[in-house]
Amino acid sequence: MRLSSIIVVAQILLCFVPSIYAQSSSIIDWTFQSGTSLAKVTIDEGDSVTFDWASSFHNVLKFTSLSEFQGCDFSGADNVASGSPSGSETVTFNKSGDYYYGCSIGAHCTNG
């Protein structure tokens, strides 16, 4: 069975690296096999990440802290993409930092 998450939640590490290149985008498969390791993506300021899922019901929420991410505590999380059986959502990162995302559907986060 494929699950989503960021405990496969993507930890997105945005680096402040001056870039002479055009902005780029990364795609995170928002479904995964149980036991898959955390998806970690390093991007430059202004780059975007697309959370993409083609099967199963998922959503995308942004945690406010690492501790909320680690505890799958969605109480303060911001909704990025509402639940749907398939979809994608693109987020552009204009500020450096660590960003944590997860799926709150069922036990996707805790099973991650």
Side-chain angles (χ1 to χ4, degrees), residues 10-14 26-28 39-43 48-49:
Q11 174 187 17
I12 302 188
L13 177 62
L14 182 61
S26 300
I27 297 175
I28 294 176
K40 183 175 182 177
V41 179
T42 302
I43 59 175
S48 62
V49 171

Short mmCIF file of all heavy atoms in Angstrom, two decimals, residues 10-14 26-28 39-43 48-49:
data_model
loop_
_atom_site.label_atom_id
_atom_site.label_comp_id
_atom_site.label_asym_id
_atom_site.label_seq_id
_atom_site.Cartn_x
_atom_site.Cartn_y
_atom_site.Cartn_z
N ALA A 10 8.40 16.26 3.43
CA ALA A 10 9.59 16.82 2.84
C ALA A 10 10.16 17.83 3.78
O ALA A 10 9.47 18.72 4.20
CB ALA A 10 9.26 17.47 1.53
N GLN A 11 11.37 17.65 4.11
CA GLN A 11 12.06 18.70 4.81
C GLN A 11 12.73 19.47 3.70
O GLN A 11 13.57 18.95 2.99
CB GLN A 11 13.11 18.16 5.78
CG GLN A 11 13.92 19.26 6.38
CD GLN A 11 15.07 18.74 7.20
OE1 GLN A 11 15.47 17.60 7.08
NE2 GLN A 11 15.63 19.61 8.00
N ILE A 12 12.33 20.69 3.53
CA ILE A 12 12.87 21.48 2.44
C ILE A 12 13.86 22.47 3.02
O ILE A 12 13.51 23.28 3.84
CB ILE A 12 11.74 22.17 1.68
CG1 ILE A 12 10.82 21.08 1.18
CG2 ILE A 12 12.29 23.06 0.60
CD1 ILE A 12 9.76 21.48 0.28
N LEU A 13 15.06 22.32 2.61
CA LEU A 13 16.14 23.16 3.10
C LEU A 13 16.44 24.19 2.02
O LEU A 13 16.87 23.85 0.94
CB LEU A 13 17.37 22.30 3.39
CG LEU A 13 18.62 23.02 3.84
CD1 LEU A 13 18.35 23.75 5.16
CD2 LEU A 13 19.74 22.02 4.02
N LEU A 14 16.18 25.42 2.33
CA LEU A 14 16.39 26.49 1.36
C LEU A 14 17.71 27.16 1.67
O LEU A 14 17.94 27.63 2.76
CB LEU A 14 15.23 27.48 1.46
CG LEU A 14 15.23 28.65 0.51
CD1 LEU A 14 15.18 28.14 -0.93
CD2 LEU A 14 14.03 29.53 0.79
N SER A 26 11.44 21.33 -8.25
CA SER A 26 11.62 19.94 -7.89
C SER A 26 10.24 19.33 -7.70
O SER A 26 9.30 20.01 -7.31
CB SER A 26 12.39 19.81 -6.58
OG SER A 26 13.67 20.39 -6.70
N ILE A 27 10.14 18.04 -7.96
CA ILE A 27 8.87 17.34 -7.75
C ILE A 27 9.06 16.29 -6.68
O ILE A 27 10.01 15.50 -6.73
CB ILE A 27 8.38 16.68 -9.06
CG1 ILE A 27 8.11 17.75 -10.11
CG2 ILE A 27 7.13 15.85 -8.79
CD1 ILE A 27 7.73 17.23 -11.47
N ILE A 28 8.17 16.30 -5.70
CA ILE A 28 8.18 15.29 -4.64
C ILE A 28 6.99 14.37 -4.87
O ILE A 28 5.84 14.82 -4.95
CB ILE A 28 8.07 15.93 -3.25
CG1 ILE A 28 9.33 16.76 -2.97
CG2 ILE A 28 7.85 14.87 -2.18
CD1 ILE A 28 9.28 17.51 -1.66
N ALA A 39 12.00 12.57 2.66
CA ALA A 39 12.39 13.27 1.42
C ALA A 39 12.97 14.61 1.82
O ALA A 39 12.30 15.43 2.42
CB ALA A 39 11.16 13.45 0.53
N LYS A 40 14.21 14.83 1.50
CA LYS A 40 14.88 16.09 1.81
C LYS A 40 15.32 16.72 0.50
O LYS A 40 15.98 16.09 -0.31
CB LYS A 40 16.08 15.85 2.71
CG LYS A 40 16.77 17.12 3.14
CD LYS A 40 17.89 16.84 4.13
CE LYS A 40 18.54 18.11 4.59
NZ LYS A 40 19.57 17.85 5.59
N VAL A 41 14.92 17.95 0.31
CA VAL A 41 15.22 18.66 -0.92
C VAL A 41 15.93 19.95 -0.56
O VAL A 41 15.48 20.70 0.29
CB VAL A 41 13.91 18.99 -1.69
CG1 VAL A 41 14.22 19.75 -2.95
CG2 VAL A 41 13.13 17.73 -1.98
N THR A 42 17.05 20.22 -1.22
CA THR A 42 17.77 21.48 -1.03
C THR A 42 17.56 22.31 -2.29
O THR A 42 17.82 21.84 -3.40
CB THR A 42 19.26 21.23 -0.79
OG1 THR A 42 19.42 20.39 0.35
CG2 THR A 42 19.99 22.55 -0.55
N ILE A 43 17.10 23.53 -2.11
CA ILE A 43 16.79 24.39 -3.24
C ILE A 43 17.37 25.78 -3.00
O ILE A 43 17.75 26.13 -1.89
CB ILE A 43 15.27 24.48 -3.48
CG1 ILE A 43 14.56 25.02 -2.24
CG2 ILE A 43 14.72 23.14 -3.89
CD1 ILE A 43 13.09 25.27 -2.42
N SER A 48 10.96 26.39 -6.70
CA SER A 48 9.67 25.84 -6.27
C SER A 48 9.73 24.33 -6.14
O SER A 48 10.60 23.68 -6.73
CB SER A 48 8.56 26.24 -7.26
OG SER A 48 8.83 25.70 -8.53
N VAL A 49 8.81 23.81 -5.35
CA VAL A 49 8.67 22.37 -5.15
C VAL A 49 7.21 22.02 -5.41
O VAL A 49 6.30 22.70 -4.94
CB VAL A 49 9.06 21.97 -3.71
CG1 VAL A 49 8.71 20.51 -3.43
CG2 VAL A 49 10.54 22.22 -3.47
#
